[in-house]
């Protein structure tokens, strides 16, 4: 829900937080991001690209890129590039297809893998997981319990809610039911 209504600068700040777990982007962190985005780039090339990016964007001479510098830089990109960046989906494209995420399990067990739950949890923002938890049938007290057990760790909170949901629902915890709950709580879906 938050993603649909948030202003562009807040969305970009959210993407920044996902890149390095809310930490500033220094050369080693950027080097890792570059290597993940382009597997053909070797370690040395990724490092020099990361150094150049920090040198170019770090107008405060901090040795890293902070969230404000990131947002200001992205806002200077062409609109179509910004739109590609913010076309961010929570539900993985392979959801619903017969994949390793949805392989058959023993009787009474959910078909949803932990890998899928990690993937979904990593893409849900701090504010977005509570409507999802409510949609999945969690009470306010259960949500508070998860928040108290994992304070200041929203990604872990949503992951734990998804794991608890999968345990409670058993075989009824399917890709389709999770997808429906994500839709009903206002999450973005991939375009087919």
């Amino acid at each position: 829900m938050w993603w649909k209504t948030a202003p562009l600068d807040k969305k970009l700040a959210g993407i920044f937080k996902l890149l390095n777990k809310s930490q500033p982007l220094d050369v080693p962190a950027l080097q890792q991001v570059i290597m993940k985005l382009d597997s053909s780039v070797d370690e040395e090339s990724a490092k020099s690209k990361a150094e150049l990016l920090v040198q170019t964007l770090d107008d405060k001479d901090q040795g890293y890129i902070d969230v404000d510098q990131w947002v200001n830089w992205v806002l200077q990109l062409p609109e179509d590039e910004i739109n590609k960046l913010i076309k961010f989906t929570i539900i993985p494209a392979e959801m619903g297809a017969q994949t390793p995420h949805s392989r058959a399990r023993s009787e009474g067990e959910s078909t949803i893998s932990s890998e899928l739950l990690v993937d979904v949890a990593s893409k849900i923002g701090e504010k977005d997981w509570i409507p999802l938890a409510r949609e999945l049938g969690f009470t306010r007290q259960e949500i508070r319990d998860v928040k108290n057990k994992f304070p200041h760790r929203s990604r872990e909170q949503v992951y734990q809610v998804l794991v608890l949901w999968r345990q409670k629902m058993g075989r009824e915890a399917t890709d389709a039911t999770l997808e429906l709950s994500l839709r009903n709580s206002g999450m973005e879906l991939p375009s087919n």
Side-chain angles (χ1 to χ4, degrees):
M1 212 120 148
W2 171 84
W3 190 256
K4 285 184 175 181
T5 60
L8 179 59
D9 62 328
K10 298 294 183 204
K11 290 179 182 180
L12 295 174
I15 292 170
F16 176 88
K17 289 177 181 181
L18 286 174
L19 287 175
N20 200 31
K21 300 178 181 150
S22 298
Q23 299 299 310
L25 291 169
D26 58 10
V27 170
L30 280 168
Q31 181 179 358
Q32 291 301 314
V33 170
I34 291 167
M35 290 174 66
K36 280 187 178 187
L37 291 174
D38 185 354
S39 59
S40 70
V41 175
D42 63 49
E43 205 169 311
E44 198 54 44
S45 296
K47 183 179 179 186
S48 49
K49 289 178 181 190
E51 287 170 343
L52 180 61
L53 195 55
V54 169
Q55 186 179 38
T56 304
L57 300 184
D58 179 21
D59 56 1
K60 300 174 190 171
D61 293 324
Q62 307 169 107
Y64 57 82
I65 300 169
D66 63 29
V67 68
D68 294 329
Q69 292 165 327
W70 162 263
V71 169
N72 290 335
W73 174 66
V74 173
L75 288 173
Q76 294 175 29
L77 294 174
E79 189 175 338
D80 63 323
E81 293 299 316
I82 295 172
N83 288 333
K84 286 180 198 173
L85 184 62
I86 63 170
K87 205 164 197 78
F88 189 84
T89 58
I90 299 295
I91 301 172
E94 70 273 3
M95 194 167 195
Q98 193 66 20
T99 68
H101 287 312
S102 60
R103 64 187 171 276
R105 296 182 181 251
S106 65
E107 194 171 325
E109 265 187 67
S110 168
T111 59
I112 297 179
S113 70
S114 295
E115 294 85 12
L116 177 64
L117 298 183
V118 167
D119 191 28
V120 171
S122 71
K123 295 176 180 173
I124 295 178
E126 296 172 24
K127 299 172 186 162
D128 288 338
W129 79 265
I130 294 172
L132 174 62
R134 288 190 187 126
E135 183 65 32
L136 293 172
F138 285 84
T139 65
R140 292 184 191 278
Q141 185 57 52
E142 289 171 319
I143 292 169
R144 269 194 298 273
D145 290 345
V146 170
K147 288 171 95 175
N148 290 336
K149 191 169 184 179
F150 303 96
H152 312 297
R153 295 172 51 203
S154 61
R155 200 174 296 177
E156 185 65 27
Q157 291 168 352
V158 71
Y159 175 72
Q160 292 301 322
V161 161
L162 292 170
V163 168
L164 289 170
W165 168 76
R166 180 178 66 183
Q167 289 170 352
K168 283 193 327 189
M169 298 299 290
R171 292 186 62 76
E172 292 178 35
T174 63
D175 290 356
T177 55
L178 179 57
E179 183 176 348
L180 181 61
S181 294
L182 286 162
R183 283 179 193 269
N184 290 342
S185 60
M187 302 293 173
E188 290 290 318
L189 299 170
S191 349
N192 292 334

